Each structure stands twice: as C-alpha cells, then as structure tokens.
Amino acid sequence: MSTPPVGRPRPTAAELEALPLAPPAATGLAEVVRRRYLLGMLVRNTIKSRYQGTVLGWVWSYLQPAIRFCMFYFLFQVMIGRGAGMENFAIHLFAGMVIVHFFTETFNGGTQSLVQNRSLITKLPVPREMFPVARMLVAAWHTVPMIVILLVPCLFLGWRPDLVGVAAALLGFTLAAALGLALGLLFSVGNVFMRDISKIAQTLTQFVTFSVPMMYPFTLVQERFGEPIASYYLLNPMAEAVLLIQRGFWTGTTSDPDATAAVHLPDHLFTRGLIMTGISLVLLVLAQRVFSRLEARVPERL
C-alpha cells in the first residue's frame, strides 16, 4: 500500500468505509469491445495453445477440413450415392458443415470458457464476457480455412459470387454468431455453478448435426412429413442458417441456380432469416443481462 504524500494525513478507517465501492472492472459487451487489445491477446493465446507442440502448427486448420471434405465426398457421393438426383451434393453437405462447426465451437467453447480461464478471472479485473466472446472469435478463425476449402471446389464448378448469395451467407453467419454467443454466455455462467451444464451443451450440439438440412436436403423433410411438419422444422434457427449458407455457395455451383433454389430451398428464406437473426440478437441482450447479474459470484465459485 503506497504512503500518502507529505503533508496529507492518512485517511482514517471511518473515512475509508465511507468511500463508495466500485466494481473491479466494468462489465458488458461494450466494455469487451473497448478493451479489444486484451481481447486480441486472449484470442491469440488461445489459438497458440491449441497448436502448441505440433510440427505443422496452423497448417492443421487447413489440412483437417480438407480431409473432412474429401471423406464426406467419398462416403456420401461416391460410396452410397446419397446425392443422387442433386447436383454437387458434397458442396451442399460441406457448406452446412462450415456453419454448424462455427456454431458448435462457439457454443461449446463459450460454455467452458469461464471454467478454463479461472486463473485469469480470479486475478485480473477484466469483463468476464470477454472469455465467451474470445471463443467465438477463435471459432471464426478456425472457420476461415473451412470457407477457403469450400471455395476451391465451388470455383472449379463455375460458382461466381452474386449479391443475393453473399447477403445470404453473411446473414447465416450473423444468425449463427448471435445465437452461439447468446447460448455461450448463458451456459458459461451456468457451468460455473453446475458443471453438468457443459455436458448438456455437448449433447445439444450433437443434435444440431442431424436437425439441419445438411446430410439430407430440405425437400426430404417436406416429402416425408408434409408441409405442417416442415414449417415447424424451419423454426430451428440453425436449419435456417444452413439453408442461407447453401444459398450463398451450393446453389451457385449447379447448372441452373434459380431452379435449384426454387426446388430445394423454402420460400421466404430471407424473411425468416431476418426474423431469426432479430430473435437471436434479442436473446443475446437477455443473455448478457443474466450474465451480468450472476458474474459477480463467479470468482468465489471458481
């Protein structure tokens, strides 16, 4: 404790008790943006720790999605002909994998972020929302190589970016980011009080893979279950995000993109996407408020 300047008396205990208490660090997503330098350091350290001790390092972020794409292409399109009757089914599948990977890594990583960074949380006065946000940015960093791997066969098949397709893909990623971060905030603070929450999050993300039109087209849902069930199916925001990114990449690789979109994509795709994104943003605001109410108890529980 530093000594007071010469000539100034040391404050008494009563005077110290009368001073207003201030939180050790401001909270909120806006504060995270304001401290973006610390956020960048946290993201870089998280990425470095993932590849620490490996020979290829960041090359694995390109190698793994490339191998995954080749495996799914061989299995679904060559071996079992799952894409029969659909052009470039492997692109349809991998486009969905990209957005699902981004969402699940954001959700699962955000859920575990507070527990995994307990040493920093108990020692540094930083907004604790920074840790789920950092995991979302790490997920985005790992998604970029997957997009590059996706673009290579798309360009080879004659895909050219169009304004509507780019808008669809951006809307899909915005939807997945807002929803993943909202759930990451809620589940991260819940995981501090009950560690079973992380297992629940992992179980929920397993359902995401099979509850979106990725390994099967949306038209299959319509044909098997009819229009009422298909409309309920589209209430899943991640199904909407997958359809949006497929509109951005897959339809442009087919011989007739407009006909492909008319047959395999639902009507009012953008309208539903905007509504789902708006709902996800509202959920993000509510999740941040819940997080702010509980985050003061986080250090003592860690």
Side-chain angles (χ1 to χ4, degrees), residues 184-205:
L185 286 170
L186 284 174
F187 278 66
S188 65
V189 72
N191 192 45
V192 171
F193 296 93
M194 187 172 63
R195 301 301 163 85
D196 299 88
I197 296 295
S198 63
K199 303 300 181 183
I200 295 174
Q202 293 172 5
T203 303
L204 290 175
T205 52

Side-chain angles (χ1 to χ4, degrees), residues 20-283:
L21 295 177
T27 61
L29 295 176
E31 185 65 17
V32 173
V33 176
R34 194 179 73 83
R35 300 195 180 196
R36 53 189 175 273
Y37 176 74
L38 291 176
L39 178 62
M41 289 183 59
L42 183 60
V43 171
R44 287 192 294 270
N45 290 336
T46 304
I47 293 172
K48 288 180 181 179
S49 65
R50 178 169 297 190
Y51 299 108
Q52 188 175 10
T54 62
V55 177
L56 297 179
W58 62 268
V59 176
W60 281 110
S61 62
Y62 286 87
L63 187 60
Q64 287 177 326
I67 294 174
R68 195 177 303 132
F69 174 79
C70 293
M71 289 176 58
F72 275 90
Y73 174 81
F74 181 78
L75 177 63
F76 285 94
Q77 194 148 344
V78 178
M79 286 291 292
I80 64 178
R82 185 62 179 271
M86 290 182 64
E87 288 187 75
N88 306 326
F89 181 75
I91 305 296
H92 174 280
L93 173 64
F94 195 72
M97 287 178 57
V98 170
I99 197 74
V100 168
H101 169 82
F102 173 62
F103 170 76
T104 55
E105 188 168 343
T106 298
F107 184 15
N108 284 327
T111 299
Q112 301 172 12
S113 61
L114 297 184
V115 174
Q116 291 178 346
N117 292 279
R118 58 169 63 90
S119 60
L120 294 176
I121 292 173
T122 55
K123 294 177 181 178
L124 296 179
V126 296
R128 297 178 183 103
E129 292 92 342
M130 184 177 294
F131 299 99
V133 172
R135 295 308 295 262
M136 182 192 70
L137 295 178
V138 170
W141 191 89
H142 285 109
T143 303
V144 171
M146 298 185 70
I147 296 176
V148 173
I149 300 300
L150 175 63
L151 283 173
V152 172
C154 285
L155 292 172
F156 179 78
L157 293 168
W159 175 85
R160 294 295 181 271
D162 64 290
L163 185 60
V164 176
V166 172
L170 290 176
L171 183 60
F173 275 107
T174 303
L175 170 56
L179 181 63
L181 181 56
L183 294 176
L185 286 170
L186 284 174
F187 278 66
S188 65
V189 72
N191 192 45
V192 171
F193 296 93
M194 187 172 63
R195 301 301 163 85
D196 299 88
I197 296 295
S198 63
K199 303 300 181 183
I200 295 174
Q202 293 172 5
T203 303
L204 290 175
T205 52
Q206 290 177 2
F207 283 103
V208 173
T209 303
F210 302 99
S211 64
V212 298
M214 181 177 68
M215 297 182 181
Y216 53 86
F218 170 70
T219 50
L220 181 64
V221 179
Q222 290 180 312
E223 294 171 359
R224 293 287 179 88
F225 303 104
E227 190 60 34
I229 300 299
S231 61
Y232 290 123
Y233 175 87
L234 290 175
L235 294 177
N236 176 5
M238 282 309 300
E240 190 70 29
V242 167
L243 290 167
L244 285 167
I245 196 172
Q246 287 171 348
R247 171 61 184 87
F249 292 98
W250 169 62
T251 58
T253 66
T254 60
S255 56
D256 191 346
D258 292 334
T260 301
V263 172
H264 293 287
L265 298 181
D267 297 330
H268 311 295
L269 181 64
F270 275 89
T271 302
R272 273 195 301 268
L274 289 170
I275 293 173
M276 290 289 184
T277 303
I279 294 173
S280 297
L281 290 173
V282 171
L283 179 62

